[in-house]
Amino acid sequence: MAEHSGSAPVHVVILAAGKGTRMRSTLPKVLQPLAGRPMIRHLLACVQQLQPAQIHMVHGHGSEPLQAELAEQKIAWVLQPEQRGTGHALACAMPGIPDHASVLVLMADHPLVPLELLQSMLAAPHQLVLVSMQLTDPAGYGRIVRDDQGEFAAIVEQADASPQQLAISEVNSGIYRFPAAPLRDWLQQLAADNAAGEHYLTDVLAMAVAASQPPQLMQWPDAQSLLGANTQQQLATLERHYQRQQAELLQQQGVHLADPQRLDIRGRVSVGTDVSIDVNVILSGDCRLGDGVSIGPGCVLHDCHIGAKTRVLAHSVLEDVHCGAACSIGPFAHCRPGTRLDDAVKIGNFVETKQVSIGARSKASHLSYLGDANLGQRVNIGAGTITCNYDGVSKHVTSIADDVFIGSDTQLVAPVSIGPGAFIGAGSTITRDAPAAQLTLSRSAQKTIAGWQPPRPEPDHDTAAGQPGSKSSPQTQKEQD
Ligand code: UD1
Ligand code: CA
């Protein structure tokens, strides 16, 4: 457990019981995705780094999916049976918090709260800290009302604010640190005498002032990270902010981004030197890009390890791909899970791969499907080659040894093996193993039909014969082999 100011144990309370009506979605608000993950996961990942004595999650609306999503997390779940306001929600968590604790209260719909802010709140000498922010558009937030001396007086919610108060641009971020003992008392005194008919947590702050324990107001330079998401529009604003931060982090590591506004990171990315990423790329899961890797426009990579100097060309979609150095993938390649490429492999346009390992310097340059297959080194896969891996029930493996040449438009009906150095003639359907270093082909012999006539239209009684569009006459040709 981390030590903070004083020796008070830190208890984090996340308020997540609200319905999130303003999202207009069947998905609970805190499970709405931000950068590909439910927004609550961002906040949780942050507070876990504080190593608090306990994280209390107040839940109520949408409990089931929320608890299912966070099943593996160490959380003290607190049910708020009825959503009677943020003050009531926090009061529900208090029985699990000792009097000498320092209570860090967070709203679950503020997913990007910076760790450094929480750390400085806990390091502050003051036990009661409130984070405020200046917004050009304060709509929807509680306004910070100050007295004539400029000292904090109260928080007034939008619905209860006078026109004068509505003009205040300093707002409540919803992030607080409280000493547990007085907080417990104040919460018990809350009344629902306001526009919403709810127990407002914010009223506790005026009580603190009345008890001569005014909060320390803390501001944070990066106000964008403190914003909440009540609506889809606000969530999209947070998403863009998050993405800008991710792009900047990559740029700080030397990545060349064609346009930092047109890259989306939905996971973790690690990069070598001289990586370049073109526009409209999505990187998700765990992606590692080696030195000199370039990713073309419109590519989507999920859980990929891309070796040094590999080029992923435009509009390629890669999932669970591990590739060596100096490969070329795409344009328009679809590499599905289990694709393992050794060095200098080429996967060209309209090639689909799945559960396949391909040896160094092998090529599948055009229009192929390679699934459940093992390819050796220097293999050449002709255009239109298909591994027929599925018999309707089971998947079967195709093995292709080193230095094999597969002619275009070949079907390899698995299970089947092609020996080292074998040649397969174009247009073959290979159903049995092909021996090493020989030409194997299966092709019906070519035939030409002598005296063949193109179809003729039937004579039309009304107009001249031979007009296009009339029925063709029966054919009387003779086949010649
Ligand atoms: C709240 C603050 C407002 C602040 C803003 C910051 C109050 C009364 N107002 O307003 O001053 O500027 O956050 O975003 O606190 N929740 C519960 N149980 C409830 C009600 C809410 O758990 O009964 C949870 C919600 O799930 C949400 C959080 O508390 O995660 C905040 O509730 P919300 O309704 O979004 O409050 P705001 O109107 O945004
Ligand atoms: Ca809110």
Side-chain angles (χ1 to χ4, degrees), residues 146-152:
R146 292 176 180 265
D147 65 16
D148 297 342
Q149 275 75 53
E151 299 297 330
F152 173 83

Side-chain angles (χ1 to χ4, degrees), residues 2-16:
E3 284 295 310
H4 302 287
S5 73
S7 56
V10 174
H11 282 246
V12 173
V13 182
I14 300 176
L15 306 187

